[in-house]
Amino acid sequence: MSTNRDVLNVYLTETAMANTLLSALCANRIVNKQFGDVHLIIGQNDYDTFRYINHGVSDLALVKSNVVKAFGANVIYGYEEIAAHDNYSAYFIALREKPELSKEYLLGKRIGILDYPSSRSGHIVPKTILQSLGLNEGNMSLQFYSSHKELRRALMAGEVDLISSYWGQSDEQTLSKNYITALEENVSGMRWYLKMQTRNTDLRCALQNVVKTVTEKSAKTYYQRVNLLDECAPHD
């Protein structure tokens, strides 16, 4: 049993990556050298993100940059980007027609968005667009879902007329690019942050290697592409 009481706290919202990440961290030589245990938290909502990022609880986190900057966590706790996934675009997606960005078209529509206020493509962007067009829940219907997967299920089931989300490679199997309308381009993608209150370069390099290995094995194409920032030189 390790006598090291230091714990590496990890926070992410991507459930599918959790087990692989935890195993890789526990097997890493530098992590084992510096910590006695690894605690991994899977966030379910904005409150979880607020708790673990705004309060500086997490040492390693996979979140969006707008969340970290909104809380000022990069300044207060020294959260530093060590890896970044691609930016993306936000769209209105329909099943059998191309959505129009007009008040007349959207009046009375049932629109699926995420019940996750920090999501840009699934919540912030569509709400901003609708407000700019003078629409509110009195003249159209917003229906809330827990994930992008649930948004797609609702669209296919006819529960909503359109959804707000990103466009993924797998969407081409069930949906049509002819029936999407861009809302905002270049939305900030997911970022890996390490709390660097000290210049712990050994840990930074070790975690970059873990992130690269784990994301390459991800079942989701989006996470397979990752850019290591100020990448560490390989060791002999």
Side-chain angles (χ1 to χ4, degrees):
M1 180 179 293
S2 174
T3 57
N4 188 340
R5 294 180 178 275
D6 289 334
V7 175
L8 180 69
N9 289 293
V10 182
Y11 178 80
L12 70 162
T13 56
E14 181 51 57
T15 305
M17 201 184 298
N19 290 334
T20 308
L21 177 61
L22 183 59
S23 297
L25 289 170
C26 290
N28 185 269
R29 181 178 62 85
I30 298 298
V31 172
N32 281 321
K33 189 176 182 179
Q34 296 193 13
F35 299 92
D37 202 358
V38 177
H39 289 176
L40 188 148
I41 300 296
I42 303 172
Q44 302 295 327
N45 49 47
D46 281 345
Y47 174 76
D48 290 339
T49 302
F50 175 83
R51 178 184 175 189
Y52 288 97
I53 303 302
N54 184 49
H55 292 168
V57 176
S58 300
D59 299 297
L60 176 68
L62 175 62
V63 291
K64 292 181 179 178
S65 60
N66 64 300
V67 173
V68 172
K69 291 175 182 176
F71 294 153
N74 53 327
V75 176
I76 299 171
Y77 299 108
Y79 279 113
E80 180 179 304
E81 288 186 33
I82 63 170
H85 295 284
D86 290 344
N87 291 348
Y88 56 94
S89 297
Y91 299 94
F92 271 155
I93 304 173
L95 205 54
R96 296 185 182 88
E97 65 178 1
K98 186 177 179 64
E100 298 176 15
L101 296 184
S102 69
K103 185 173 184 178
E104 292 73 23
Y105 174 83
L106 294 168
L107 276 172
K109 288 288 193 293
R110 300 169 300 164
I111 303 172
I113 67 173
L114 286 185
D115 188 16
Y116 208 133
S118 65
S119 171
R120 290 197 62 80
S121 65
H123 192 104
I124 298 172
V125 172
K127 276 200 162 184
T128 300
I129 293 291
L130 294 170
Q131 288 170 4
S132 71
L133 294 172
L135 290 161
N136 54 56
E137 294 194 55
N139 46 33
M140 51 91 196
S141 173
L142 286 182
Q143 299 187 26
F144 296 87
Y145 294 89
S146 61
S147 67
H148 289 282
K149 182 178 180 180
E150 274 295 294
L151 285 175
R152 284 155 174 76
R153 182 204 60 76
L155 180 63
M156 298 296 293
E159 294 176 14
V160 294
D161 300 305
L162 58 143
I163 61 174
S164 182
S165 186
Y166 59 85
W167 180 261
Q169 186 176 352
S170 60
D171 288 325
E172 296 181 7
Q173 300 173 14
T174 53
L175 301 167
S176 172
K177 265 194 172 181
N178 291 326
Y179 303 143
I180 67 176
T181 299
L183 301 178
E184 182 178 316
E185 297 181 355
N186 210 32
V187 176
S188 177
M190 299 295 285
R191 303 285 191 266
W192 291 88
Y193 285 90
L194 175 63
K195 188 165 62 174
M196 289 285 284
Q197 291 178 312
T198 61
R199 304 312 300 172
N200 192 342
T201 53
D202 283 354
L203 181 62
R204 185 182 188 280
C205 293
L207 294 183
Q208 276 194 329
N209 288 331
V210 167
V211 166
K212 184 176 182 180
T213 301
V214 169
T215 54
E216 284 176 348
K217 298 176 181 177
S218 175
K220 294 187 177 181
T221 306
Y222 173 73
Y223 287 107
Q224 293 170 9
R225 294 173 56 88
V226 66
N227 176 37
L228 301 183
L229 306 177
D230 296 323
E231 185 175 359
C232 297
H235 292 288
D236 294 332

